[in-house]
Amino acid sequence: MKKLVIFFIICFHPIILIAQQTNNNSPVADHQNPLQITIFSEYTTQHYWRGLGRGNLFGKGPAFESRIIFKQNKWTYGLFAAASFDNIYKTAMPFVIYNVNNQFSVALQDIYSPGKTFWQSDPLNFNINESKHFVDFYTTYKFKKIPLNLKWASVVLGYDPEEDGGRNFSSYAEVSTVHKFGRWQASGAIGVTPWKGLYAKEAGICNLETRLQYNFTTSETVPSCIYVKATYNTITNFSHFIAGATFTLKLK
């Protein structure tokens, strides 16, 4: 069943891409758009991702996270790097995103996360049973008239073994919404994993998340924010209360 779902998603994407390209009537040529370079630096009291937080993978303390993003025309690519202060969580993640339009995008990211053995692990090992890579394919869709976003993500390469020896294709689906009130921003998300895998030991709602954010600027080129976030995983019965701050530097 899971392989049928993944197969359908992969086959369905070219149809969407062709349809969106056909409807794209922008008079501005792609080559006229300049390259944009942005650096994000973030401090968070706990790294949290798709229902996974405090523990042996992401540590049990604050983390520093950074991203450098290059964006031109419909392509966005860059590198995410992060580490927790307790020396448990360490990761480097190159990524590439193709923005079909303002609503629809597809992406591939290679989450290399060996943790404490970051400098001793083999970065070229993509073995399904041994690798420290989690190569994640995901797609997002934003509705035009309502503040609703959809996401589907599946691990397609690297560590993700199934009990019978094949690939599990651990997956995550999310519905989220964002509302802005001046400098304030409120958001919420519901995330589910459709089958047993890396996200949980069983299918179910693995991420209930709400976030309140205040946006401010220290200068024209450094927009920033502070935030608080509450999360709950209904499968593990585990909750988090997280706070953090993000600083953005627009280089170009």
Side-chain angles (χ1 to χ4, degrees):
M1 178 63 183
K2 69 181 72 171
K3 293 181 180 179
L4 181 62
V5 173
I6 299 299
F7 177 78
F8 174 79
I9 291 171
I10 293 174
C11 291
F12 191 63
H13 270 87
I15 300 174
I16 299 177
L17 289 171
I18 293 170
Q20 295 289 357
Q21 289 283 22
T22 303
N23 293 329
N24 184 8
N25 298 317
S26 173
V28 180
D30 283 349
H31 68 269
Q32 295 179 354
N33 296 328
L35 175 67
Q36 301 174 34
I37 305 175
T38 309
I39 295 177
F40 297 84
S41 296
E42 180 175 350
Y43 168 84
T44 179
T45 56
Q46 173 64 55
H47 180 73
Y48 183 85
W49 184 69
R50 298 179 184 173
L52 303 174
R54 189 167 58 253
N56 295 329
L57 181 61
F58 293 149
K60 300 179 181 180
F64 179 76
E65 306 176 357
S66 61
R67 297 188 301 273
I68 182 168
I69 295 177
F70 303 88
K71 185 174 183 179
Q72 187 172 34
N73 304 323
K74 296 184 177 183
W75 292 96
T76 302
Y77 48 94
L79 177 68
F80 171 88
S84 61
F85 289 16
D86 59 9
N87 202 37
I88 294 177
Y89 169 59
K90 291 188 182 74
T91 191
M93 184 188 74
F95 59 88
V96 59
I97 304 169
Y98 181 71
N99 303 286
V100 181
N101 56 24
N102 292 331
Q103 293 176 265
F104 180 66
S105 68
V106 293
L108 192 69
Q109 56 188 13
D110 179 8
I111 308 164
Y112 180 58
S113 188
K116 287 184 176 181
T117 62
F118 187 92
W119 303 109
Q120 292 77 39
S121 298
D122 181 6
L124 301 180
N125 183 0
F126 285 85
N127 184 278
I128 191 173
N129 297 301
E130 302 172 356
S131 179
K132 301 298 182 181
H133 291 269
F134 306 87
V135 181
D136 186 58
F137 168 82
Y138 71 90
T139 181
T140 61
Y141 184 83
K142 299 179 181 179
F143 288 91
K144 272 187 177 180
K145 297 184 179 181
I146 56 175
L148 200 64
N149 308 314
L150 304 178
K151 174 184 284 187
W152 176 278
S154 295
V155 176
V156 295
L157 188 64
Y159 183 84
D160 189 24
E162 198 174 31
E163 291 181 354
D164 64 3
R167 175 163 296 280
N168 189 51
F169 293 103
S170 294
S171 297
Y172 175 84
E174 183 181 273
V175 179
S176 62
T177 184
V178 179
H179 300 271
K180 296 182 178 180
F181 312 93
R183 293 190 175 186
W184 291 93
Q185 180 174 313
S187 60
I190 300 175
V192 303
T193 184
W195 49 75
K196 176 183 177 181
L198 296 176
Y199 297 102
K201 294 181 178 180
E202 61 185 62
I205 299 174
C206 60
N207 185 31
L208 294 174
E209 181 177 327
T210 182
R211 170 170 167 153
L212 181 64
Q213 176 175 310
Y214 179 74
N215 302 302
F216 62 96
T217 54
T218 53
S219 71
E220 291 184 0
T221 58
V222 189
S224 308
C225 76
I226 54 176
Y227 65 86
V228 292
K229 179 166 61 176
T231 70
Y232 179 63
N233 187 322
T234 66
I235 300 174
T236 61
N237 196 29
F238 209 53
S239 61
H240 292 79
F241 183 80
I242 301 167
T246 302
F247 299 91
T248 306
L249 178 60
K250 297 181 179 180
L251 299 179
K252 188 176 180 182

